[in-house]
């Protein structure tokens, strides 16, 4: 288990240098200096670079040339970074990746602009695929168009997902399918766009493009559900934050949604009370976890995540065998094996 | 003079219905309702729709089919609206187009998201030019790509321009070329993108595309400089705000930049004092205007705006005669003839 996680980390690192080079190049011309610094800040903060690696790996797995996908990969990472910067403003989160968030360092106006700039630069990057020369001829225009459509669609979904998430606050009638739709939009849509973009830029046929989108969507959903799950089964050291933080913050998770659907009136009422507390104690957290366990919600979340990963791996069977395909399978496993 | 202004207003109105239809269609699918309403709000507030009309007019003037340009036109308007929403948050402006601004009605988080959503939808619109069928064949992919490059470039410039503008606050060493570069990025770049996009989607050759970009840039610069000029020569009724508001707010304008460059030490010091005042009196405003006049800055601004308009009209000579060309010429005049 630990070994395959190491293998995944090695794959991610292998690509991150090249992707970072693309990002650095496209952001280097931003003016004035304050806006450039604010725009670059989070890209230097050492994210896992999972999304862009997926783009490149899928493009390789469908037989494409890495060079054709690298700018789209970098673009996906910029979209991810843009959404983190704006989310941190909206959620008033002062820390991100162990560093002060962009609005904390440069103020909200510059942080809004930095996000907008990264957004614009992401589109510029995809378009530059052609300008900078690829192995492709004129068909690259069509591929670039399709990739931009994928990216733009994911951006709309990210905004919608964040709006739904904010709307769920204090709403304890959220149904499981509404919750899944929210995390699809907020988290999984961009991962699906990452894998779809790789397939498009790699020149895959429609059937494979669609399968790769679904693969990305499924591991994206599993990724978020695993986050929900880890919050109550992991330990503070692995998480980098106290166990049960989601409970303390009253966040909607699959554990909450499932428990509220299954619990008797008394337990339901108590769980809602705990989630609404403004200063939740460790005893409250334990009590909530007991309710999750009583209704099998923790195992349920794990099973849903595992099921998504298994289905994602099945979808990879459409691809010919390759090292890249092997890596995509390992990444699917990694999503539910990671401890943080 | 009044008559040609009326003619321009008629042209703008003629196109606005179709453009609004495109905007309405592409925004109709946004979820949840709160995000949809916040995203639509300003598009319903009756802007002049100058930018999208320019896109369609240029596409017609270069011999293109209006159908091919209408979605790009609508996209330009969405980019403009997105930038207004985010600017209003940054500048804490509570009113826009006579209505409460988006963040005032829905709060900052939803306003940030609404801007981001319009941004994404703008790119979606341009891409949809192909999906929805045009008079074009496969060359449309290349045109769409070029248009997207133009739009993305303008978006980066808008962000940079706003960052420069914020950085100029309280900086009285701003040189004229720095000021012009700021208003180019903040205001003129999107107008240039509007006219360039029209030329690209209309299938113009490179030389005409470049001339149309420059035409847009010049009238965009004239537009902003005319704003600076009108602030001191117009009347409260026409402006919809008190004369000298820019002075009261201590804003950098061409009048200020020019006067600071020309004035003797005493007048320069006094002008800076007035601009820094937190509660500027009508007497202070008059005194600042006297300093502007003493150094010929008001006439200078007018001459610069007029010169830009004349140069813009010269650039139109590359086009064959047409009704659309005629309208583009009238719009150039309108920029310096309008009273608000």
């Amino acid at each position: 288990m630990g070994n395959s996680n190491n293998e995944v980390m090695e794959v991610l690192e292998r690509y991150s240098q090249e992707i970072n080079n693309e990002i650095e190049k496209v952001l280097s011309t931003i003016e004035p200096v304050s806006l450039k610094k604010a725009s670059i800040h989070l890209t230097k903060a050492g994210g896992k670079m999972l999304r862009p690696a997926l783009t490149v790996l899928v493009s390789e797995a469908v037989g494409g040339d890495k060079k054709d996908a690298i700018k789209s990969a970098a673009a996906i990472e910029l979209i991810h970074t843009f959404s983190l910067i704006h989310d941190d403003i909206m959620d008033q989160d002062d820390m991100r990746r162990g560093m002060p968030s962009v609005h904390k360092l440069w103020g909200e106006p510059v942080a809004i602009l930095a996000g907008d700039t990264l957004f614009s630069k992401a589109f510029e990057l995809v378009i530059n695929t052609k300008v900078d020369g690829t192995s492709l001829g004129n068909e690259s225009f069509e591929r670039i168009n399709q990739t931009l459509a994928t990216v733009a669609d994911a951006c709309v979904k990210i905004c919608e997902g964040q709006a739904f998430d904010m709307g769920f606050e204090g709403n304890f009638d959220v149904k499981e399918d509404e919750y899944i739709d929210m995390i699809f939009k907020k988290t999984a849509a961009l991962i699906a766009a990452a894998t779809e973009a790789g397939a498009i830029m790699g020149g895959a046929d429609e059937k494979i493009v669609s399968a790769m989108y679904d693969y990305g969507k499924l591991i994206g959903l599993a990724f978020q559900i695993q986050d929900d799950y880890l919050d109550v089964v992991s330990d503070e050291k692995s998480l980098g934050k106290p166990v049960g933080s989601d409970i303390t913050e009253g966040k909607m998770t699959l554990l909450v949604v499932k428990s509220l659907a299954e619990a008797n009136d008394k337990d339901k009422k108590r769980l809602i009370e705990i989630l609404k507390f403004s200063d939740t104690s460790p005893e409250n957290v334990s009590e909530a976890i007991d309710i999750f366990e009583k209704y099998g919600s923790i195992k349920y979340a794990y099973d849903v995540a595992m099921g998504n990963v298994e289905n994602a791996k099945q979808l990879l069977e459409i691809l010919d065998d390759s090292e890249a395909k092997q890596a995509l399978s390992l990444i699917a496993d990694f999503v539910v094996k990671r401890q943080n």
Side-chain angles (χ1 to χ4, degrees), chain A:
Chain A
M1 184 165 126
N3 276 352
S4 68
N5 276 5
N6 287 345
E7 250 179 278
V8 168
M9 296 318 282
E10 269 168 39
V11 171
L12 299 184
E13 267 166 43
R14 196 177 341 133
Y15 291 106
S16 66
Q17 185 57 47
E18 268 179 282
I19 294 158
N20 276 327
N21 285 347
E22 290 291 343
I23 290 176
E24 215 163 294
K25 212 181 346 168
V26 81
L27 302 186
S28 66
T29 53
I30 298 171
E31 302 177 311
V33 175
S34 57
L35 182 61
K36 174 151 73 175
K37 282 190 178 164
S39 302
I40 289 175
H41 177 66
L42 269 191
T43 70
K44 296 276 191 195
K48 275 195 282 288
M49 306 284 270
L50 178 66
R51 292 160 190 80
L54 283 169
T55 303
V56 180
L57 282 168
V58 170
S59 85
E60 290 184 328
V62 302
D65 184 333
K66 191 173 65 175
K67 211 171 59 181
D68 303 336
I70 199 88
K71 285 192 165 56
S72 296
I76 296 280
E77 183 65 13
L78 289 188
I79 296 289
H80 177 54
T81 312
F82 133 75
S83 77
L84 295 180
I85 294 175
H86 281 190
D87 279 6
D88 285 345
I89 303 172
M90 294 180 227
D91 302 340
Q92 296 286 312
D93 280 332
D94 291 344
M95 296 293 288
R96 171 67 70 176
R97 293 179 178 165
M99 289 162 74
S101 48
V102 175
H103 67 92
K104 198 70 195 164
L105 289 173
W106 284 274
E108 288 191 16
V110 173
I112 291 173
L113 279 181
D116 294 345
T117 305
L118 292 181
F119 200 160
S120 315
K121 286 287 182 182
F123 283 91
E124 194 180 308
L125 257 174
V126 178
I127 295 161
N128 281 349
T129 304
K130 178 65 187 168
V131 180
D132 287 3
T134 61
S135 61
L136 304 167
N138 270 336
E139 75 266 32
S140 69
F141 288 125
E142 188 167 355
R143 291 190 191 175
I144 290 170
N145 254 314
Q146 264 187 278
T147 299
L148 290 168
T150 296
V151 173
D153 180 64
C155 290
V156 173
K157 288 194 167 69
I158 291 170
C159 296
E160 293 183 334
Q162 171 74 357
F164 274 116
D165 196 18
M166 295 190 308
F168 285 175
E169 223 167 279
N171 171 2
F172 298 101
D173 291 320
V174 177
K175 301 284 168 288
E176 184 174 337
D177 60 342
E178 294 170 329
Y179 176 74
I180 297 293
D181 189 53
M182 183 277 281
I183 63 170
F184 161 51
K185 289 182 160 173
K186 187 169 170 166
T187 304
L190 186 61
I191 298 177
T195 50
E196 188 182 28
I200 293 165
M201 293 311 293
D205 66 35
E206 238 175 85
K207 216 175 131 191
I208 293 181
V209 169
S210 162
M212 290 305 102
Y213 184 87
D214 291 339
Y215 159 83
K217 176 176 172 173
L218 287 168
I219 65 169
L221 291 172
F223 191 93
Q224 183 56 54
I225 295 167
Q226 180 73 2
D227 263 2
D228 295 355
Y229 170 80
L230 284 176
D231 185 60
V232 301
V233 304
S234 189
D235 53 85
E236 179 156 355
K237 189 156 166 273
S238 303
L239 287 173
K241 58 181 182 178
V243 171
S245 294
D246 289 347
I247 299 166
T248 313
E249 292 170 24
K251 272 180 65 177
M252 198 52 59
T253 66
L254 187 54
L255 309 174
V256 171
V257 170
K258 182 69 180 169
S259 300
L260 290 175
E262 302 288 337
N264 63 33
D265 284 352
K266 189 172 150 271
D267 289 340
K268 189 172 165 176
K269 199 173 151 230
R270 182 62 190 143
L271 180 56
I272 292 174
E273 266 174 14
I274 295 170
L275 292 167
K276 278 184 172 169
F277 278 158
S278 55
D279 51 348
T280 319
S281 67
E283 290 71 33
N284 296 147
V285 170
S286 295
E287 205 184 334
I289 295 177
D290 285 346
I291 295 174
F292 294 160
E293 261 174 2
K294 181 172 171 185
Y295 294 99
S297 306
I298 300 175
K299 183 176 181 316
Y300 179 76
Y302 181 78
D303 288 345
V304 171
M306 282 297 282
N308 283 342
V309 165
E310 285 312 314
N311 289 337
K313 283 160 73 180
Q314 280 295 323
L315 287 166
L316 294 176
E317 288 316 309
I318 200 171
L319 303 172
D320 293 333
D321 284 339
S322 68
E323 250 189 75
K325 175 181 169 180
Q326 181 64 19
L328 292 170
S329 182
L330 285 175
I331 287 176
D333 287 328
F334 167 73
V335 165
V336 285
K337 278 184 183 164
R338 70 200 165 89
Q339 294 303 310
N340 59 43

